[in-house]
Structure formats: structure tokens, C-alpha cells
Amino acid sequence: MGKMKPRTLSGFLELLPDRQVQFDKMIDALRASFSLYGFTPLDTPIIEAAEVLLAKGGGETEKQVYQLTKGDTDLALRFDLTVPLAKYVALHYGALTFPFRRFQIGKVYRGERAQRGRFREFYQADIDIIGDGSLAVINEAEIPGVIYHSLTALGLSRFVIRINNRKVLNGLFAALGLTARAGDILRTVDKLEKIGQEHTAALLVRDIGMEQSQANQLLDLLTCTQRGVSPIAALSAYSGKNALLDEGIEELFTVAKHMEDFGVPDTHFAMDLTIARGLDYYTGTVYETIIPDHPEIGSICSGGRYDNLAEYYTDKPLPGVGISIGLTRLFYVLEEQGYLNDDLLTAPADVLILPMTDDLAPAISFATALRGVGVRAQIYGEQKKFKAKMGYADRLNIPYVVFLGEDELAAGKVTVKNMVSGDQEIVSPEVAIKGLTAGVAHQKTLPPVRQ
Amino acid sequence: MGKMKPRTLSGFLELLPDRQVQFDKMIDALRASFSLYGFTPLDTPIIEAAEVLLAKGGGETEKQVYQLTKGDTDLALRFDLTVPLAKYVALHYGALTFPFRRFQIGKVYRGERAQRGRFREFYQADIDIIGDGSLAVINEAEIPGVIYHSLTALGLSRFVIRINNRKVLNGLFAALGLTARAGDILRTVDKLEKIGQEHTAALLVRDIGMEQSQANQLLDLLTCTQRGVSPIAALSAYSGKNALLDEGIEELFTVAKHMEDFGVPDTHFAMDLTIARGLDYYTGTVYETIIPDHPEIGSICSGGRYDNLAEYYTDKPLPGVGISIGLTRLFYVLEEQGYLNDDLLTAPADVLILPMTDDLAPAISFATALRGVGVRAQIYGEQKKFKAKMGYADRLNIPYVVFLGEDELAAGKVTVKNMVSGDQEIVSPEVAIKGLTAGVAHQKTLPPVRQ
């Protein structure tokens, strides 16, 4: 019979077992972190009615959406977790309690052009806090706390959470009489890091029609952090000039002052007035998170405050704040950079039990006892040479092997071999169970990343 | 602006937050159970190339597959976790170590006709053990151990794992000279429970052409368990008549004799010669699991031994044994029957912290301290009346509320209110943290199901 060549589609990540364990540990760490902050887990369908999912319409995203028909129904695969959240909150509004805090970690789909490090199926890990009509700014201040805790739980140590406030930017443009050009200015300012301040100022003069001195003044202000000047201090000169600006400064100050209380160290937090995070969705605090050693990676965790989560589904104003981690891409770059923690135990079992007698009952009973106290035990029951059995434990990095031979059974003992040190000892089953439990405990507490 | 009416497609389960917590606890319990037996987690793409996914071709399933095109690629959504496993093992054969034990818990898609309790998107939880060329029968004996441990971990207590061996059935038909009619006989025997032995025998005579005495004899044998006769004893009369039958009897005996060693009580295990589980895939031990109180639910966990996992992708013989739990359907029926454990803590937080002063710093610091020791804490920072704040904790079933007012702050204390008992006490933050940790510990150990 002709065989079909097995393959996995490009842009779809399929991990080998040890990598999968590391990936799953990342998900576990994020779940645990998000839960500590009162976020409840959600799981929405991957398939939605196309007209519901694409209610907003337009944009680059829609071209990338996977669409299909089944019978006479137009269906589409979700391309992010925000639109399904908006649908969920609008649909189940009456059954939810606000502020509604949820996290969702799930796969999303985008038919992007295939290239290295780009995925068509990828995990996003999102948290959002949705208010009913209003939402206090303290929620915006809490988000960097969640980011710091979550990334630290993954094992990352060198990262900086950068924040800004869209009211500051928009208020500033209003104070300068440039509200109508806000989008163009932001797009130009976005080039700062690439082309430098002088060229950016020249573009602001040429394309926006700003005075040279005005352009310099604006860029001096926006880049104050790079010159060691606090944005709060730099912005004080603009206090009282515009109500929105004042509000933005106040919020930025409120968020910043609570960082220590939320457990975010100075080293991992910075205000940066150049951050905008898109043009029209965010309306308050915005966040991005960079790894200073690897600026080329870009932001690994971004988000912000928005005014209307579900405006395409309901008239109710549902302001919120949220962040998203592109987990598959993060895993990919961490692997590329060699940051995955190879000390983490990725073996499928803690102990491989090798019965050396025809009667398997003692080996099975011993495995059952180990499992009863939470030790992951596998019985190797295949008819193979001793060397092949040991090679099995070796290739899977199983840390302990237990032998049950005639001698051991006669003496009521088991032989435990530590596969790392090579040490081997004959002990009672009770002693073995205690030792094995302790022996693997440390490795289970290790984070999936080491940076 | 006209609003799009939000909706979720029929046949797609979307849970409210408290139910989602219960569902997630079921997944967690299964993951933990499977891991104890040396199964490693896998995650394969939901989308595969259509020609790869449908390599086997034909059958009812193919009609239900969600297919789509993107560019010039024909894509399909997986309809089970077995075909993706076959592809995975064939594709990554060289990188895997055999026997390869994996579990996968993930969503699969079938465009079934919409009806109550039928799902188009549903979770399956699968485990499989794949051998390279051969696989010892001890692996087949271990499966009921995994089933028993897993279902018990979910909180189920009254269920029976029924097993049979296809070699027994096929050997029996061969001994009776009826191999060519095996499929027809099995289909007829399948009606036993519905139409009774007498009518089944009549069908065997009329449709298969068996002698009346032969039909009676066969049905007597197959239904021996119902009459309190052990299949091993009933089969002993057939010993030596057919090599395959002898092998099957031997395997059935081996699996049964190890049940106690694997920790499966007599009450939860039964041999039943009427079980076939499909016509052509399984070749050795087969399993199904029923809830005797609710026979209408059918089997909640089924599977068996097969000879060739990946015959459509590779010439390598890859025998295996596996089981599958239809998790979404199981959750649905358990909810319907009132078996979900409502004592399980489904609140998004263990503690709601109510700051009663303008300065939020003490409340934030207290929340940070609680989170540091693993207590899930939420700060309620909205400007609402006291009653509304308490109503929030109440509606979400958050078990504890902590007040931080002027008096508490002045005295360096916090007020802790137990929302169940109504008790309230003023204590130091350290005492509060200890008390809160202990207070929620019990609820976190409860299983998601109570039967």
C-alpha cells in the first residue's frame, strides 16, 4: 500500500516531548501567576460565526483570518482572544460580576506568510479587567505587578516594563494645537529609535509643519527618560495647560507610585513617553515589556487601558485594561537564545522500574505505592536485554531506576540507582519511596526559563 | 452604529466562570493522573494538511470533518487525537524513545448534526503507549489502573471498567468456523442488551445461519458474567481449540490477575465477553467504562490494543494500546446529573481586600504579601458604596473579605471577615495571612466531581 508522507504544516509549532514539557511549564506558571491576582480562567470556542468574529471589519487582520463554511454557516477561526472576550462579555453580561477579571491562554490563528519565527497557530496568554461603566485607575497600576510576577515565575530576570499614558500624549498634542495630526506625529515619533532625534525633528517640521523649536521641545520631552530626567518632572512644565494632559500626568504618577507596593523593583519598571502601542484602541495607561539584552525581540508583553471592549456588540460602555503575551513566539525566541532551563526535569517519569523476574506483581505493587505518594513511576515490561532497558532510562533522562530481582525480592528490598551520580543502593521499599520523593522534589520547582 | 448580536455557535460549549473552574479542575486532575504513570504531554496542531489527516479515507467521520483552503493548501481540523498521534509518531520516529507513552488533552472538531448533548468542538483526553515492533501485554494490564486512578481523581466513585480481548472473540469465531461472519455476528451480539438473549439467538440463526444450539451456546458463553460465571472459567471449555483463542484467554487472564497490584478494586473491574469496541481497529484487550447508575450515558472511557498505529504513514509496525475520554460530553452529563462538586471553591480569589482609606498603599502591600505565600488576593478599588463592595464578594463566592480602614491602619491590624460564617476579627497582618492560608487550603483539595 502506498504511504502518505507524514508532515506538519509550516507555521505550526509541534514540539518534541522534552520541549513540550518546558512549554507546558510556562503555561502552568502563567496560570498560577494570573490566579494569584484574582483572574478567573476562561475558554471560548476556537470557531465563531464569521459575522460575529469580524463585526469590526476591515484591517490587515481580516485578510489573515481562516474562514470556512459548514452547511450554510460562515465560520472563522479566532485570530486573537480579545474579540472572543468582547463577545463573551456582551453575551453573558447579565451572568457576570464586574469588574470582571479573566485570563485565557489559548491558540489563535492567522494565515500569515510563512517565515522563520512567524506562526500561523500560536498561543496567546491574555488577562483583562473589565469594568461596567467605569474602572478605577488602581487596576491600571496593578498590571505591571502581574507582568513582573508572571515573567519572574517563568524564570526571566532581566526585563523592563515600560509604561506611558495615552492621555499624556493626546493632551500634549491638544496643548500644542496638533490634535488633528496626532496619528501622523505618533507614526513619525515611532521612528525615533531607528533614525535618531535630529532626523525625527526634521520630519516633524517637513511633514507635520511643526516649528523647528516646537519639534525639538516635543522630542526633548518625549525622550526625557533617555537623558535621565523623570517624565513626571519633565511634564510638570505642562501642568495646567490641558485638562486631558493633567489627567494623564495624574494617572501616570498614580501608577508609578504604587510600583513598590505591588512588588515591582525600580530596575524592572520605567516610564517612557515615546510608547503609544497602536493608534486608536488604547485610551489610558499603555504597557510594553522589553528584554534589554535583546531589543530585537521587541515587546514580549504589551497592552493597555481601553474605553469600550465590546462596542460592536453592545451599547454598554465596558472600559477595561489588559495585556497579552505571545507565548509561542516567546518560547521560540527563548529557545533560540538558549534561555530554556535544561535543568528542568523533562523526563516522562521520575522512576523507571525494571522487574527482573517473571512475576511482575512486586514491581507493579511498588509502582502503585510510588504513584500513591505522587512519584511518577513507569514499569518497563518489555522483553529486552538489560543494556537496552538502561538505555531507555538514559535516553529519556529518567533520574532513577529501580531493580527488582530475585535477590531483592527474597530480602524484601529494592535496588535504587541514581542515573546522574551512578550511585546504587539496596534499601527497603519504604526507604526507597522516601528517598525518591525527596530526590526529584527540587527539579520540580525549577522554572522553565533560566535568564 | 448598528450592533452585531453576540452569539456562540450551537454545539460549541462556552462555560460561565464557575463552571469553567470545575472543568479546568477536571483537566488538571487528569493531567496529574496520567503523569503519575509515565505519560508525557503532547500538543499537536488543530489544523493539519487535509490529505495527511484524511489519509485513511472514507467512513462517516470524513463527512463531518471541517475542511478549509488557505491559498492553494487544503486544510482540515483534527477530528480525534489518534490520527495526529499516528502522524506525530511516524514523522518524529527517529527522535522518540519506545515504548512511547503520551497523553494529550485537546479540542477536536466534528460537524455533527446539532442536538442536545452533542458537541462540534469538544475535548478529548487520550493516553497511548506505542511500541516499536512489539509491546508487552503488561501495558494492557496497566490501562485499567490508569482509568481507575484518573476517574477517582475526578471524584467519581461508582463506575466499572469492563474489559474483553478481541483475540478471544476472533478465536472463538474461528473455532466455530465463523471467521468470515465475525463482523455480522458482533453487530448482532451488540443488540443483546436491548433485545435480550432469545431474540439475539433467533437473529444469529436467521441472519448468520448458525444452528440454534450453537447460537445458544455462544450467547451463554458471552453472557456468562451476567450469570455470575467467570469468563476465565467459562472459556476453559474452549482451551486448546484455537491458537488465537488460547492467546486471548491467556492475555485476559494476565490483565485480570494484575488488577489488585495496580490498585483497581474488584468492585470497579469486570471481564465481559460481549464487549467488542468497533470492528476492525482493536486486536487485543478492549476497555469500556460505565456508570452503573446511568447506563444511558454509555461508556465514558474506552479504548484498546491495536497492531498498527500509523499504517497509513509508515511501514514500521507500531503496536499500541490507548484509551480516550470524551471530556466535554462527560462534563455535560455530570452537570446534568448533578454530580459536579459545588463545594469546590470556584471563586476567582480567596480574599477580597477592601481599602477604606484614600491611600491604597497598605491594601496593595497586604495583597502583595498574600500573593507571595500563594493566597489568591484581589483588591477592590472601585468607588462604590460599602454594600456594593460586599455584594461583589458575595456574588463571586469569595470566602474572605479583609477591611483596611483608618482604625486598622492606626493599630497596625486588619479586619478579616469569613463570608460563610459571618465571623469577623481584627488581627495582625501576619496572623491574618496564616489564617487565610489555612482557611482556603481544604477547598482547594476537593475534586471537581462528587458522586
Side-chain angles (χ1 to χ4, degrees):
Chain A
M1 189 175 64
K3 303 291 176 189
M4 170 65 58
K5 196 171 147 52
R7 71 178 198 277
T8 298
L9 294 162
S10 70
F12 289 71
L13 189 68
E14 185 171 77
L15 298 168
L16 286 172
D18 53 345
R19 288 289 181 232
Q20 187 67 53
V21 171
Q22 292 171 316
F23 189 86
D24 285 10
K25 283 264 176 185
M26 287 183 67
I27 290 182
D28 289 346
L30 292 179
R31 288 178 63 92
S33 288
F34 298 160
S35 296
L36 284 177
Y37 290 78
F39 292 89
T40 196
L42 271 199
D43 183 16
T44 62
I46 283 174
I47 304 180
E48 300 271 7
E51 57 173 2
V52 172
L53 200 65
L54 301 170
K56 183 180 177 181
E60 267 307 297
T61 310
E62 183 156 350
K63 289 182 208 154
Q64 298 179 344
V65 173
Y66 285 99
Q67 291 189 253
L68 62 154
T69 51
K70 193 82 190 172
D72 53 1
T73 317
D74 288 324
L75 308 173
L77 305 193
R78 67 185 181 203
F79 53 88
D80 70 7
L81 301 177
T82 304
V83 176
L85 172 66
K87 182 217 72 175
Y88 184 93
V89 174
L91 180 59
H92 303 292
Y93 174 82
L96 301 176
T97 305
F98 295 90
F100 174 57
R101 295 178 162 226
R102 83 87 176 81
F103 74 84
Q104 183 165 6
I105 303 175
K107 288 177 169 178
V108 304
Y109 295 82
R110 292 186 195 173
E112 300 215 43
R113 205 157 52 81
Q115 51 179 308
R116 224 162 152 272
R118 283 279 189 181
F119 296 97
R120 292 169 169 169
E121 174 186 73
F122 56 98
Y123 277 91
Q124 281 194 333
D126 279 23
I127 60 170
D128 285 271
I129 310 171
I130 314 298
D132 185 9
S134 68
L135 188 69
V137 71
I138 179 73
N139 294 289
E140 291 168 59
E142 193 170 37
I143 295 291
V146 190
I147 298 175
Y148 177 75
H149 191 288
S150 303
L151 296 184
T152 305
L154 292 182
L156 288 164
S157 60
R158 294 189 302 283
F159 58 88
V160 179
I161 305 160
R162 303 202 290 200
I163 72 155
N164 192 13
N165 192 300
R166 289 301 299 268
K167 289 177 187 167
V168 168
L169 291 178
N170 292 337
L172 211 48
F173 299 146
L176 297 170
L178 293 165
T179 296
R181 308 300 303 274
D184 296 326
I185 298 175
L186 284 174
R187 266 184 290 269
T188 309
V189 168
D190 214 32
K191 298 175 182 163
L192 250 174
E193 268 189 73
K194 262 193 209 147
I195 67 173
Q197 186 160 345
E198 199 179 325
H199 286 98
T200 309
L203 288 179
L204 288 177
V205 171
R206 193 193 71 188
D207 299 343
I208 313 290
M210 287 173 79
E211 301 281 332
Q212 180 71 45
S213 64
Q214 198 186 31
N216 286 338
Q217 204 185 352
L218 176 67
L219 292 177
D220 278 350
L221 173 63
L222 295 184
T223 60
C224 64
T225 317
Q226 282 94 306
R227 285 173 290 105
V229 179
S230 147
I232 299 291
L235 284 168
S236 62
Y238 294 81
S239 177
K241 291 194 177 165
N242 177 282
L244 189 65
L245 177 56
D246 286 352
E247 209 180 299
I249 295 172
E250 174 67 27
E251 289 182 4
L252 197 56
F253 178 71
T254 299
V255 172
K257 87 168 171 194
H258 285 308
M259 282 309 98
E260 198 184 331
D261 304 324
F262 276 119
V264 183
D266 272 359
T267 45
H268 288 66
F269 175 79
M271 285 177 277
D272 186 330
L273 299 180
T274 64
I275 293 166
R277 306 296 323 164
L279 293 179
D280 51 2
Y281 188 58
Y282 295 121
T283 55
T285 311
V286 285
Y287 317 87
E288 62 177 43
T289 311
I290 52 131
I291 298 179
D293 306 343
H294 297 284
E296 76 283 3
I297 292 173
S299 175
I300 59 169
C301 178
S302 318
R305 159 93 185 205
Y306 44 83
D307 277 343
N308 274 305
L309 172 72
E311 59 179 321
Y312 300 101
Y313 306 119
T314 174
D315 285 323
K316 294 199 187 353
L318 298 168
V321 58
I323 49 166
S324 182
I325 300 173
L327 201 55
T328 300
R329 183 164 172 278
L330 178 60
F331 183 83
Y332 178 84
V333 299
L334 290 173
E335 183 185 20
E336 284 249 300
Q337 300 296 340
Y339 285 135
L340 295 183
N341 186 358
D342 287 324
D343 286 344
L344 185 77
L345 184 58
T346 57
D350 303 321
V351 182
L352 187 72
I353 299 170
L354 297 190
M356 318 289 275
T357 56
D358 284 344
D359 182 11
L360 300 175
I364 297 171
S365 298
F366 186 63
T368 302
L370 282 172
R371 291 159 180 166
V373 296
V375 175
R376 302 176 306 148
Q378 182 182 343
I379 303 160
Y380 189 94
E382 307 310 305
Q383 297 291 336
K384 298 269 168 158
K385 296 228 168 81
F386 182 75
K387 208 179 151 186
K389 294 178 180 180
M390 294 302 287
Y392 183 82
D394 213 38
R395 274 194 304 282
L396 289 174
N397 291 310
I398 297 174
Y400 294 96
V401 172
V402 167
F403 309 107
L404 280 159
E406 296 292 358
D407 292 353
E408 283 90 350
L409 291 182
K413 306 268 185 179
V414 300
T415 297
V416 178
K417 186 182 173 79
N418 180 323
M419 293 294 283
V420 179
S421 68
D423 294 347
Q424 189 167 317
E425 50 176 0
I426 303 180
V427 292
S428 71
E430 295 72 31
V431 170
I433 290 171
K434 273 193 196 154
L436 292 167
T437 308
V440 294
H442 168 64
Q443 277 176 303
K444 291 185 180 179
T445 65
L446 295 175
V449 177
R450 183 174 45 195
Q451 184 210 24
Chain B
M1 188 174 67
K3 305 291 178 189
M4 169 63 60
K5 195 170 148 51
R7 70 179 200 275
T8 299
L9 294 161
S10 70
F12 289 70
L13 189 68
E14 184 170 77
L15 298 169
L16 286 172
D18 53 344
R19 287 289 180 232
Q20 187 67 54
V21 171
Q22 291 170 317
F23 190 86
D24 284 12
K25 283 264 175 183
M26 286 183 65
I27 291 182
D28 290 346
L30 292 180
R31 288 178 63 91
S33 288
F34 297 160
S35 296
L36 284 177
Y37 289 78
F39 293 89
T40 197
L42 270 199
D43 182 16
T44 62
I46 283 174
I47 304 180
E48 301 271 5
E51 58 174 0
V52 173
L53 200 65
L54 302 170
K56 182 180 179 181
E60 268 307 298
T61 310
E62 184 156 350
K63 289 183 207 152
Q64 298 180 342
V65 173
Y66 285 99
Q67 290 191 253
L68 62 155
T69 51
K70 193 83 190 171
D72 54 0
T73 317
D74 288 324
L75 307 174
L77 304 193
R78 67 186 181 202
F79 53 87
D80 70 7
L81 300 176
T82 304
V83 176
L85 172 66
K87 181 216 74 175
Y88 183 94
V89 173
L91 179 60
H92 304 292
Y93 174 81
L96 300 177
T97 305
F98 296 89
F100 174 58
R101 294 178 164 227
R102 83 85 175 83
F103 74 84
Q104 182 164 7
I105 302 175
K107 287 176 170 179
V108 304
Y109 296 82
R110 291 186 196 174
E112 299 215 45
R113 206 157 51 82
Q115 50 179 307
R116 222 160 153 271
R118 282 280 189 180
F119 297 97
R120 291 168 170 170
E121 175 186 74
F122 56 97
Y123 277 91
Q124 281 193 335
D126 279 24
I127 61 171
D128 285 272
I129 309 171
I130 315 297
D132 185 10
S134 67
L135 186 70
V137 72
I138 179 73
N139 295 288
E140 291 168 60
E142 193 169 36
I143 294 290
V146 190
I147 298 175
Y148 178 75
H149 191 286
S150 303
L151 297 184
T152 304
L154 292 181
L156 288 164
S157 60
R158 294 190 301 283
F159 59 87
V160 179
I161 305 160
R162 303 203 287 201
I163 74 157
N164 192 11
N165 192 298
R166 289 300 300 267
K167 288 176 188 167
V168 169
L169 292 179
N170 293 337
L172 211 47
F173 299 145
L176 297 170
L178 292 165
T179 295
R181 307 300 303 273
D184 296 325
I185 298 174
L186 284 175
R187 264 183 292 269
T188 308
V189 167
D190 215 29
K191 298 174 182 164
L192 248 173
E193 268 188 74
K194 263 193 210 146
I195 65 173
Q197 184 160 346
E198 198 179 326
H199 286 99
T200 309
L203 288 179
L204 288 176
V205 170
R206 192 192 71 186
D207 299 343
I208 313 291
M210 287 174 78
E211 302 280 334
Q212 180 73 44
S213 62
Q214 199 185 31
N216 285 338
Q217 202 186 353
L218 176 66
L219 292 176
D220 278 350
L221 174 62
L222 295 185
T223 59
C224 63
T225 316
Q226 283 94 303
R227 284 173 289 106
V229 178
S230 148
I232 300 292
L235 285 167
S236 64
Y238 294 81
S239 176
K241 292 196 174 158
N242 176 283
L244 189 65
L245 177 56
D246 285 351
E247 210 178 299
I249 295 172
E250 174 68 27
E251 289 182 5
L252 196 57
F253 178 71
T254 299
V255 171
K257 87 169 170 193
H258 285 308
M259 281 309 98
E260 196 184 334
D261 304 324
F262 276 119
V264 183
D266 272 358
T267 45
H268 288 67
F269 176 79
M271 285 178 277
D272 185 330
L273 299 180
T274 63
I275 294 167
R277 306 295 324 161
L279 292 180
D280 51 2
Y281 189 57
Y282 296 123
T283 54
T285 312
V286 285
Y287 316 88
E288 63 177 40
T289 311
I290 51 131
I291 298 179
D293 306 343
H294 297 284
E296 77 282 4
I297 293 172
S299 176
I300 59 170
C301 178
S302 319
R305 158 90 185 207
Y306 43 84
D307 277 344
N308 273 305
L309 172 72
E311 60 180 319
Y312 300 101
Y313 307 119
T314 175
D315 285 324
K316 293 198 188 350
L318 298 168
V321 60
I323 51 164
S324 183
I325 300 174
L327 201 54
T328 300
R329 183 163 172 279
L330 177 60
F331 183 82
Y332 177 83
V333 299
L334 290 173
E335 183 185 20
E336 284 248 300
Q337 301 295 340
Y339 285 136
L340 295 182
N341 186 357
D342 288 324
D343 286 343
L344 185 77
L345 184 58
T346 56
D350 303 321
V351 183
L352 187 72
I353 298 171
L354 296 190
M356 319 289 276
T357 58
D358 285 345
D359 182 11
L360 300 176
I364 298 171
S365 298
F366 187 63
T368 303
L370 282 173
R371 291 158 180 167
V373 296
V375 176
R376 302 176 305 147
Q378 182 182 345
I379 303 160
Y380 189 93
E382 308 308 306
Q383 297 292 334
K384 298 268 169 158
K385 296 226 169 81
F386 182 75
K387 207 178 150 185
K389 293 178 181 180
M390 294 302 288
Y392 183 82
D394 214 38
R395 274 196 304 282
L396 288 174
N397 292 312
I398 298 175
Y400 293 96
V401 172
V402 167
F403 308 107
L404 280 160
E406 297 290 359
D407 292 351
E408 282 90 349
L409 292 181
K413 306 268 184 179
V414 300
T415 297
V416 178
K417 186 182 172 79
N418 181 321
M419 293 293 283
V420 179
S421 68
D423 294 346
Q424 190 168 316
E425 51 175 359
I426 304 181
V427 292
S428 71
E430 295 72 33
V431 170
I433 290 171
K434 272 192 197 156
L436 292 167
T437 309
V440 295
H442 168 63
Q443 277 176 303
K444 292 185 179 178
T445 64
L446 296 175
V449 177
R450 182 176 42 195
Q451 186 209 22

